[in-house]
Amino acid sequence: MTAQLSGVGPVPARPTPDPLPRRRRSQRPAWEEPPSPLGTLAKGAVLTALVAAVLVPMWAVLVTSLASRSTIDEAGGMVMVPREIDPSAYITIFSGGQITQAVWISTLVTVLGTTVSLVLTVLAAYGLSRPGSVGHRGLLFFFLLTFLIFPGLVPSYLVVTGLGLKDSIWSLILPSAISVFNLVVIRAFFMNVPGELLDSARIDGAGEFRILWRIVLPLSRAVIAVVGLFYAVGYWNAYFNAVLYIDDNDKFPIQRVLQSYILAGQSPNVSGAAVSLPGISAYPPTLAVKMAVVMVTVVPAVIVYPFVQRHFTKGVITGAVKG
């Protein structure tokens, strides 16, 4: 059917649209849709529960470490509501005894171990990320094989003692100097550095070490920071190597001392030590001393983490997904 207009030819009438099935407002997958109000409420409840599961125990440890003997006796154990502050537990463990020495040993092992691990991991990851490197496939297979095969405690102990590392801080560093997981993450990140950029540097006369130092590392600060945090927390929290290889009490790291507190109930160097300072209990309760040692082991990681947290998404996720 056509319509006739004055001075204009016949204009076709607009066809009546055929009825179509009702379509969804969005063609995105369901998991990309914004959550419903019920879903948002459920997510908030789960996140609140997770945060409470972390903060409530930390709060109990902190309050108990600062509680007096009478407060702990009234609570029958861990204290949740602070009544009075009694720092005698911290005064006792930092009075120049084993805890002070252990903190120094742990700090030294963490700093030195993180530096050694980062240097070795970065060098190995860069070499394995270059397809034309000598023995590329064999070395990569050798590293990945450690995911499936672990030598065991007895061979590891024999190797460490055979190298003369027993009762040395190097026995706390070298057996775990390279994490294959961290190596794979950094290698994946290095492989995504544009090859044209590296080729242009080679044309200008730069060697591999100069390329790594001047080009690759500045582009990989995020993943290096995250992996460095992983290594630092691992060295700070490690205690099993100290159990195996360290017999001298003066070389115990802080986690080894904490283990002796938890298992033995007390440490001969600090338990029962009198503290004669104004306003401080003469004998801090054993539970308060234990919780004070726990706080000493936890606080450094809590302080460092916020400075590196912003690199997690850009570093680990990008490096793992792009590989």
Side-chain angles (χ1 to χ4, degrees), residues 181-182 184-186 188-189 220-230 308-323:
F181 173 78
N182 294 335
V184 170
V185 170
I186 297 181
F189 201 94
S220 310
R221 291 177 181 174
V223 68
I224 297 299
V226 173
V227 170
L229 177 64
F230 286 167
V308 188
Q309 187 271 340
R310 62 190 180 93
H311 295 292
F312 267 81
T313 301
K314 183 179 179 182
V316 170
I317 296 180
T318 303
V321 172
K322 284 188 176 181

Side-chain angles (χ1 to χ4, degrees), residues 44-64:
V46 171
L47 291 177
T48 302
L50 292 176
V51 172
V54 175
L55 293 183
V56 171
M58 290 188 63
W59 171 257
V61 170
L62 175 62
V63 173
T64 305

